[in-house]
Amino acid sequence: MRVLVTGAAGFIGSHVVDRMLDDGHEVAGVDDLSSGANVRDDVELWRTDVADPALAGRVAAWRPEVVLHLAAQVSVRVSVGDPLADARTNVLGTANVLEAAHAAGARKVVFTSSCAVYGVPDALPVPADAPLRPASPYAASKVTGEVYARMYRELHGLDFTTLTLANVYGPRQTPEGEAGVVSIFTDALLGGRPTRVFGDGKQTRDYVYVLDVVDAFARAAGEKGGGERFNVGTGLQTTDRELHTLVARAAEAADEPESAPPRLGDLPAMSIDPAATREVLGWEPRVELREGLVETVAWARSRV
Ligand SMILES: NC(=O)c1ccc[n+]([C@@H]2O[C@H](COP(=O)([O-])OP(=O)(O)OC[C@H]3O[C@@H](n4cnc5c(N)ncnc54)[C@H](O)[C@@H]3O)[C@@H](O)[C@H]2O)c1
């Protein structure tokens, strides 16, 4: 089938493009290259802003069956500093992509959300039907994107599935994303520079390997899971201090981070429950953190 991938040059989007091609689909990408730099010569890439109203005409002419929407302003901190810029890309951009998909007669849009939408949850791991409590403009923009997707389904019959991603790590990741700490530790430890762990090091995150995430996109692109939100995470928590130990082992470096004061606004703990994702989409995280970090460090080393 014809698949349009927005954010195609980004960390996750570029792996999604690779997988779609491997699965035999015809692929085109949209990316303004504001942060992504992973461009393949053999894939048509439209270098444009997802919020550009001219996008609809182009998408309508190409007629994708499915649109995988990953393009976004991805930094929580940037969104706090400039909420309007965040909303322009993440809210207007998503509305524009939905309108373009509708104009093209597409079957489905897969919308990329984040575990940040759950804010400080009542219990961990957070189920996909937990209340949404966005605590940043970024999280609010992701909630709004999903509201728009649901509305397009009601209004126009354009199907959608939302994938709520945990902290995604792996080759091609950058320090800006939600698992940026993996990049930061990796680059510092490989470069022989000091590393820092904030607070008591007991803050937790749910790390999911990028190729597992890509598999969730491949499954969501099918007929299953229409109109639903799915968690794409492991359900496991890893503390910052444990993560440091694992990255240090993979990098064959000393496990001796410096301590720094806690950072204001950091959520204390997060993990998301993939039970419904397993049940409906048949998806499971397969790559253990230890294993995925070895791949990530090998990739980072190959770039030095
Ligand atoms: N990395 C994570 O841990 C994580 C966690 C939860 C959700 N997500 C979501 O996954 C998606 C992909 O994130 P990523 O980690 O690959 O980040 P990324 O920055 O590598 O990818 C985003 C891509 O979107 C492009 N882009 C940004 N603004 C654009 C615009 N206005 N028009 C067109 N293209 C634009 C960038 O150039 C980049 O290639 C995003 O929607 C992000 O919010 C990521």
Side-chain angles (χ1 to χ4, degrees):
M1 65 183 170
R2 277 197 167 180
V3 182
L4 184 69
V5 181
T6 76
F11 159 45
I12 305 171
S14 65
H15 285 286
V16 168
V17 167
D18 294 349
R19 169 69 188 263
M20 290 296 127
L21 291 171
D22 286 349
D23 287 355
H25 301 304
E26 198 180 335
V27 180
V30 176
D31 203 298
D32 67 356
L33 303 185
S34 53
S35 68
N38 304 288
V39 178
R40 288 178 64 131
D41 293 339
D42 56 347
V43 172
E44 189 175 331
L45 182 80
W46 309 340
R47 188 174 173 178
T48 178
D49 182 349
V50 277
D52 181 348
L55 185 67
R58 201 151 185 190
V59 177
W62 198 68
R63 298 195 77 76
E65 180 177 334
V66 171
V67 178
L68 307 178
H69 178 39
L70 292 98
Q73 186 300 112
V74 302
S75 162
V76 172
R77 276 168 205 282
V78 167
S79 82
V80 173
D82 193 348
L84 289 189
D86 178 85
R88 188 173 182 284
T89 296
N90 293 6
V91 179
L92 291 185
T94 298
N96 198 38
V97 166
L98 288 162
E99 185 54 27
H102 164 55
R107 172 174 57 80
K108 192 183 213 185
V109 172
V110 177
F111 175 64
T112 314
S113 187
S114 156
C115 60
V117 298
Y118 298 123
V120 179
D122 296 327
L124 296 172
V126 191
D129 59 359
L132 304 181
R133 294 178 184 141
S136 65
Y138 170 73
S141 75
K142 290 294 186 183
V143 172
T144 309
E146 184 178 326
V147 170
Y148 261 86
R150 197 170 291 284
M151 178 272 289
Y152 264 79
R153 190 169 191 259
E154 296 297 319
L155 187 65
H156 295 302
L158 168 64
D159 204 4
F160 84 95
T161 292
T162 295
L163 297 180
T164 302
L165 311 185
N167 295 75
V168 188
Y169 73 99
R172 303 182 199 160
Q173 80 167 104
T174 64
E176 287 78 31
E178 285 164 74
V181 63
V182 174
S183 277
I184 293 165
F185 284 167
T186 302
D187 291 349
L189 290 170
L190 287 179
R193 292 186 299 279
T195 43
R196 287 186 304 172
V197 167
F198 296 98
D200 60 7
K202 291 187 179 146
Q203 177 180 296
T204 68
R205 292 291 178 265
D206 181 343
Y207 295 99
V208 61
Y209 191 58
V210 66
L211 295 186
D212 279 333
V213 172
V214 163
D215 187 51
F217 275 92
R219 288 166 189 270
E223 306 277 346
K224 290 183 184 163
E228 290 185 72
R229 173 184 329 120
F230 296 103
N231 284 338
V232 179
T234 66
L236 304 172
Q237 297 180 62
T238 301
T239 70
D240 288 352
R241 188 64 189 85
E242 285 164 349
L243 181 75
H244 193 281
T245 300
L246 291 170
V247 177
R249 268 189 211 146
E252 295 165 319
D255 181 25
E256 292 163 357
E258 294 169 4
S259 292
R263 289 191 306 181
L264 197 68
D266 274 353
L267 298 177
M270 182 52 78
S271 70
I272 55 176
D273 185 353
T277 325
R278 186 178 296 126
E279 202 176 302
V280 180
L281 297 181
W283 177 85
E284 255 180 309
R286 296 192 181 279
V287 180
E288 276 184 30
L289 182 54
R290 194 177 33 82
E291 220 181 306
L293 287 174
V294 168
E295 296 297 323
T296 309
V297 168
W299 168 79
R301 197 174 253 140
S302 72
R303 292 189 326 149
V304 173

